[in-house]
PDB file of all heavy atoms in Angstrom:
ATOM      1  N   ASN A 142      -2.279   8.806 -24.233  1.00 95.00           N
ATOM      2  CA  ASN A 142      -3.068   7.783 -24.912  1.00 95.00           C
ATOM      3  C   ASN A 142      -2.595   7.607 -26.347  1.00 95.00           C
ATOM      4  O   ASN A 142      -2.216   8.574 -27.009  1.00 95.00           O
ATOM      5  CB  ASN A 142      -4.548   8.163 -24.920  1.00 95.00           C
ATOM      6  CG  ASN A 142      -5.195   8.005 -23.566  1.00 95.00           C
ATOM      7  OD1 ASN A 142      -4.852   7.107 -22.807  1.00 95.00           O
ATOM      8  ND2 ASN A 142      -6.132   8.878 -23.247  1.00 95.00           N
ATOM      9  N   PRO A 143      -2.614   6.370 -26.878  1.00 96.00           N
ATOM     10  CA  PRO A 143      -2.263   6.169 -28.291  1.00 96.00           C
ATOM     11  C   PRO A 143      -3.328   6.777 -29.205  1.00 96.00           C
ATOM     12  O   PRO A 143      -4.445   7.070 -28.768  1.00 96.00           O
ATOM     13  CB  PRO A 143      -2.202   4.647 -28.425  1.00 96.00           C
ATOM     14  CG  PRO A 143      -3.029   4.117 -27.303  1.00 96.00           C
ATOM     15  CD  PRO A 143      -2.910   5.106 -26.185  1.00 96.00           C
ATOM     16  N   LEU A 144      -2.986   6.926 -30.474  1.00 93.00           N
ATOM     17  CA  LEU A 144      -3.894   7.551 -31.437  1.00 93.00           C
ATOM     18  C   LEU A 144      -5.073   6.653 -31.776  1.00 93.00           C
ATOM     19  O   LEU A 144      -6.163   7.136 -32.087  1.00 93.00           O
ATOM     20  CB  LEU A 144      -3.133   7.898 -32.715  1.00 93.00           C
ATOM     21  CG  LEU A 144      -1.935   8.849 -32.550  1.00 93.00           C
ATOM     22  CD1 LEU A 144      -1.189   8.992 -33.867  1.00 93.00           C
ATOM     23  CD2 LEU A 144      -2.411  10.200 -32.048  1.00 93.00           C
ATOM     24  N   ILE A 145      -4.833   5.337 -31.759  1.00 90.00           N
ATOM     25  CA  ILE A 145      -5.899   4.393 -32.099  1.00 90.00           C
ATOM     26  C   ILE A 145      -6.034   3.334 -31.014  1.00 90.00           C
ATOM     27  O   ILE A 145      -5.113   3.111 -30.228  1.00 90.00           O
ATOM     28  CB  ILE A 145      -5.632   3.710 -33.462  1.00 90.00           C
ATOM     29  CG1 ILE A 145      -4.313   2.919 -33.407  1.00 90.00           C
ATOM     30  CG2 ILE A 145      -5.599   4.738 -34.582  1.00 90.00           C
ATOM     31  CD1 ILE A 145      -4.039   2.123 -34.670  1.00 90.00           C
ATOM     32  N   GLN A 146      -7.186   2.673 -30.989  1.00 83.00           N
ATOM     33  CA  GLN A 146      -7.440   1.620 -30.017  1.00 83.00           C
ATOM     34  C   GLN A 146      -6.513   0.436 -30.282  1.00 83.00           C
ATOM     35  O   GLN A 146      -6.336   0.023 -31.419  1.00 83.00           O
ATOM     36  CB  GLN A 146      -8.899   1.169 -30.090  1.00 83.00           C
ATOM     37  CG  GLN A 146      -9.310   0.151 -29.043  1.00 83.00           C
ATOM     38  CD  GLN A 146      -9.307   0.718 -27.628  1.00 83.00           C
ATOM     39  OE1 GLN A 146      -9.579   1.901 -27.431  1.00 83.00           O
ATOM     40  NE2 GLN A 146      -9.011  -0.114 -26.650  1.00 83.00           N
ATOM     41  N   LEU A 147      -5.934  -0.105 -29.243  1.00 82.00           N
ATOM     42  CA  LEU A 147      -4.980  -1.196 -29.387  1.00 82.00           C
ATOM     43  C   LEU A 147      -5.676  -2.545 -29.284  1.00 82.00           C
ATOM     44  O   LEU A 147      -6.419  -2.798 -28.339  1.00 82.00           O
ATOM     45  CB  LEU A 147      -3.893  -1.087 -28.310  1.00 82.00           C
ATOM     46  CG  LEU A 147      -2.772  -2.109 -28.363  1.00 82.00           C
ATOM     47  CD1 LEU A 147      -1.956  -1.947 -29.644  1.00 82.00           C
ATOM     48  CD2 LEU A 147      -1.870  -1.977 -27.141  1.00 82.00           C
ATOM     49  N   ASP A 148      -5.411  -3.410 -30.268  1.00 77.00           N
ATOM     50  CA  ASP A 148      -5.946  -4.770 -30.256  1.00 77.00           C
ATOM     51  C   ASP A 148      -4.847  -5.711 -29.772  1.00 77.00           C
ATOM     52  O   ASP A 148      -3.862  -5.932 -30.469  1.00 77.00           O
ATOM     53  CB  ASP A 148      -6.392  -5.177 -31.673  1.00 77.00           C
ATOM     54  CG  ASP A 148      -6.880  -6.619 -31.733  1.00 77.00           C
ATOM     55  OD1 ASP A 148      -7.152  -7.201 -30.666  1.00 77.00           O
ATOM     56  OD2 ASP A 148      -6.985  -7.162 -32.855  1.00 77.00           O
ATOM     57  N   ASN A 149      -4.993  -6.219 -28.567  1.00 79.00           N
ATOM     58  CA  ASN A 149      -3.947  -7.084 -28.001  1.00 79.00           C
ATOM     59  C   ASN A 149      -4.515  -8.422 -27.550  1.00 79.00           C
ATOM     60  O   ASN A 149      -4.152  -8.959 -26.511  1.00 79.00           O
ATOM     61  CB  ASN A 149      -3.242  -6.385 -26.840  1.00 79.00           C
ATOM     62  CG  ASN A 149      -4.201  -6.026 -25.712  1.00 79.00           C
ATOM     63  OD1 ASN A 149      -5.411  -6.138 -25.867  1.00 79.00           O
ATOM     64  ND2 ASN A 149      -3.671  -5.601 -24.577  1.00 79.00           N
ATOM     65  N   ASP A 150      -5.401  -8.976 -28.352  1.00 82.00           N
ATOM     66  CA  ASP A 150      -6.090 -10.208 -27.997  1.00 82.00           C
ATOM     67  C   ASP A 150      -5.184 -11.430 -28.173  1.00 82.00           C
ATOM     68  O   ASP A 150      -4.969 -11.911 -29.288  1.00 82.00           O
ATOM     69  CB  ASP A 150      -7.353 -10.358 -28.855  1.00 82.00           C
ATOM     70  CG  ASP A 150      -8.171 -11.574 -28.463  1.00 82.00           C
ATOM     71  OD1 ASP A 150      -8.118 -11.961 -27.281  1.00 82.00           O
ATOM     72  OD2 ASP A 150      -8.848 -12.142 -29.339  1.00 82.00           O
ATOM     73  N   ASN A 151      -4.634 -11.926 -27.056  1.00 90.00           N
ATOM     74  CA  ASN A 151      -3.845 -13.156 -27.010  1.00 90.00           C
ATOM     75  C   ASN A 151      -2.748 -13.201 -28.077  1.00 90.00           C
ATOM     76  O   ASN A 151      -2.740 -14.065 -28.964  1.00 90.00           O
ATOM     77  CB  ASN A 151      -4.746 -14.385 -27.146  1.00 90.00           C
ATOM     78  CG  ASN A 151      -4.077 -15.635 -26.587  1.00 90.00           C
ATOM     79  OD1 ASN A 151      -3.110 -15.555 -25.831  1.00 90.00           O
ATOM     80  ND2 ASN A 151      -4.587 -16.784 -26.969  1.00 90.00           N
ATOM     81  N   ILE A 152      -1.828 -12.269 -28.004  1.00 95.00           N
ATOM     82  CA  ILE A 152      -0.703 -12.208 -28.934  1.00 95.00           C
ATOM     83  C   ILE A 152       0.604 -12.269 -28.137  1.00 95.00           C
ATOM     84  O   ILE A 152       0.596 -12.120 -26.917  1.00 95.00           O
ATOM     85  CB  ILE A 152      -0.731 -10.918 -29.777  1.00 95.00           C
ATOM     86  CG1 ILE A 152      -0.786  -9.676 -28.863  1.00 95.00           C
ATOM     87  CG2 ILE A 152      -1.894 -10.929 -30.756  1.00 95.00           C
ATOM     88  CD1 ILE A 152      -0.734  -8.359 -29.599  1.00 95.00           C
ATOM     89  N   SER A 153       1.693 -12.501 -28.826  1.00 96.00           N
ATOM     90  CA  SER A 153       2.982 -12.560 -28.142  1.00 96.00           C
ATOM     91  C   SER A 153       3.356 -11.178 -27.626  1.00 96.00           C
ATOM     92  O   SER A 153       2.885 -10.158 -28.138  1.00 96.00           O
ATOM     93  CB  SER A 153       4.066 -13.068 -29.092  1.00 96.00           C
ATOM     94  OG  SER A 153       4.382 -12.079 -30.060  1.00 96.00           O
ATOM     95  N   LYS A 154       4.231 -11.138 -26.645  1.00 96.00           N
ATOM     96  CA  LYS A 154       4.628  -9.862 -26.063  1.00 96.00           C
ATOM     97  C   LYS A 154       5.337  -8.966 -27.074  1.00 96.00           C
ATOM     98  O   LYS A 154       5.042  -7.766 -27.146  1.00 96.00           O
ATOM     99  CB  LYS A 154       5.528 -10.103 -24.837  1.00 96.00           C
ATOM    100  CG  LYS A 154       5.579  -8.929 -23.879  1.00 96.00           C
ATOM    101  CD  LYS A 154       4.207  -8.634 -23.263  1.00 96.00           C
ATOM    102  CE  LYS A 154       4.292  -7.536 -22.225  1.00 96.00           C
ATOM    103  NZ  LYS A 154       2.983  -7.225 -21.635  1.00 96.00           N
ATOM    104  N   PRO A 155       6.272  -9.476 -27.891  1.00 97.00           N
ATOM    105  CA  PRO A 155       6.876  -8.594 -28.899  1.00 97.00           C
ATOM    106  C   PRO A 155       5.859  -8.050 -29.903  1.00 97.00           C
ATOM    107  O   PRO A 155       5.953  -6.893 -30.315  1.00 97.00           O
ATOM    108  CB  PRO A 155       7.902  -9.493 -29.598  1.00 97.00           C
ATOM    109  CG  PRO A 155       8.203 -10.560 -28.616  1.00 97.00           C
ATOM    110  CD  PRO A 155       6.919 -10.796 -27.880  1.00 97.00           C
ATOM    111  N   GLU A 156       4.887  -8.864 -30.269  1.00 96.00           N
ATOM    112  CA  GLU A 156       3.853  -8.388 -31.191  1.00 96.00           C
ATOM    113  C   GLU A 156       2.998  -7.311 -30.523  1.00 96.00           C
ATOM    114  O   GLU A 156       2.555  -6.360 -31.175  1.00 96.00           O
ATOM    115  CB  GLU A 156       2.979  -9.550 -31.647  1.00 96.00           C
ATOM    116  CG  GLU A 156       1.839  -9.179 -32.590  1.00 96.00           C
ATOM    117  CD  GLU A 156       2.300  -8.543 -33.889  1.00 96.00           C
ATOM    118  OE1 GLU A 156       3.453  -8.777 -34.311  1.00 96.00           O
ATOM    119  OE2 GLU A 156       1.491  -7.798 -34.501  1.00 96.00           O
ATOM    120  N   TYR A 157       2.769  -7.450 -29.224  1.00 96.00           N
ATOM    121  CA  TYR A 157       2.040  -6.415 -28.495  1.00 96.00           C
ATOM    122  C   TYR A 157       2.767  -5.078 -28.593  1.00 96.00           C
ATOM    123  O   TYR A 157       2.167  -4.043 -28.877  1.00 96.00           O
ATOM    124  CB  TYR A 157       1.873  -6.808 -27.029  1.00 96.00           C
ATOM    125  CG  TYR A 157       1.368  -5.675 -26.151  1.00 96.00           C
ATOM    126  CD1 TYR A 157       0.017  -5.349 -26.116  1.00 96.00           C
ATOM    127  CD2 TYR A 157       2.253  -4.912 -25.384  1.00 96.00           C
ATOM    128  CE1 TYR A 157      -0.443  -4.294 -25.324  1.00 96.00           C
ATOM    129  CE2 TYR A 157       1.804  -3.865 -24.605  1.00 96.00           C
ATOM    130  CZ  TYR A 157       0.453  -3.562 -24.576  1.00 96.00           C
ATOM    131  OH  TYR A 157       0.013  -2.511 -23.808  1.00 96.00           O
ATOM    132  N   TRP A 158       4.102  -5.092 -28.360  1.00 97.00           N
ATOM    133  CA  TRP A 158       4.867  -3.844 -28.437  1.00 97.00           C
ATOM    134  C   TRP A 158       4.885  -3.298 -29.861  1.00 97.00           C
ATOM    135  O   TRP A 158       4.850  -2.079 -30.061  1.00 97.00           O
ATOM    136  CB  TRP A 158       6.290  -4.055 -27.933  1.00 97.00           C
ATOM    137  CG  TRP A 158       6.362  -4.394 -26.475  1.00 97.00           C
ATOM    138  CD1 TRP A 158       6.964  -5.472 -25.908  1.00 97.00           C
ATOM    139  CD2 TRP A 158       5.786  -3.647 -25.387  1.00 97.00           C
ATOM    140  NE1 TRP A 158       6.810  -5.454 -24.545  1.00 97.00           N
ATOM    141  CE2 TRP A 158       6.098  -4.339 -24.193  1.00 97.00           C
ATOM    142  CE3 TRP A 158       5.056  -2.468 -25.303  1.00 97.00           C
ATOM    143  CZ2 TRP A 158       5.688  -3.893 -22.939  1.00 97.00           C
ATOM    144  CZ3 TRP A 158       4.649  -2.017 -24.057  1.00 97.00           C
ATOM    145  CH2 TRP A 158       4.959  -2.718 -22.901  1.00 97.00           C
ATOM    146  N   SER A 159       4.918  -4.177 -30.826  1.00 97.00           N
ATOM    147  CA  SER A 159       4.872  -3.740 -32.219  1.00 97.00           C
ATOM    148  C   SER A 159       3.570  -2.997 -32.515  1.00 97.00           C
ATOM    149  O   SER A 159       3.573  -1.918 -33.118  1.00 97.00           O
ATOM    150  CB  SER A 159       5.009  -4.959 -33.143  1.00 97.00           C
ATOM    151  OG  SER A 159       4.843  -4.588 -34.487  1.00 97.00           O
ATOM    152  N   ARG A 160       2.464  -3.553 -32.058  1.00 96.00           N
ATOM    153  CA  ARG A 160       1.160  -2.919 -32.288  1.00 96.00           C
ATOM    154  C   ARG A 160       1.012  -1.624 -31.494  1.00 96.00           C
ATOM    155  O   ARG A 160       0.407  -0.663 -31.972  1.00 96.00           O
ATOM    156  CB  ARG A 160       0.037  -3.896 -31.920  1.00 96.00           C
ATOM    157  CG  ARG A 160      -0.022  -5.126 -32.811  1.00 96.00           C
ATOM    158  CD  ARG A 160      -1.239  -5.975 -32.491  1.00 96.00           C
ATOM    159  NE  ARG A 160      -1.226  -7.237 -33.216  1.00 96.00           N
ATOM    160  CZ  ARG A 160      -2.209  -8.133 -33.198  1.00 96.00           C
ATOM    161  NH1 ARG A 160      -3.302  -7.891 -32.477  1.00 96.00           N
ATOM    162  NH2 ARG A 160      -2.119  -9.243 -33.881  1.00 96.00           N
TER     163      ARG A 160
END
Side-chain angles (χ1 to χ4, degrees):
N142 287 326
L144 301 174
I145 61 175
Q146 185 67 32
L147 183 64
D148 177 16
N149 60 350
D150 184 29
N151 202 17
I152 55 177
S153 72
K154 201 63 175 179
E156 179 60 25
Y157 169 80
W158 295 125
S159 174
R160 295 186 187 185

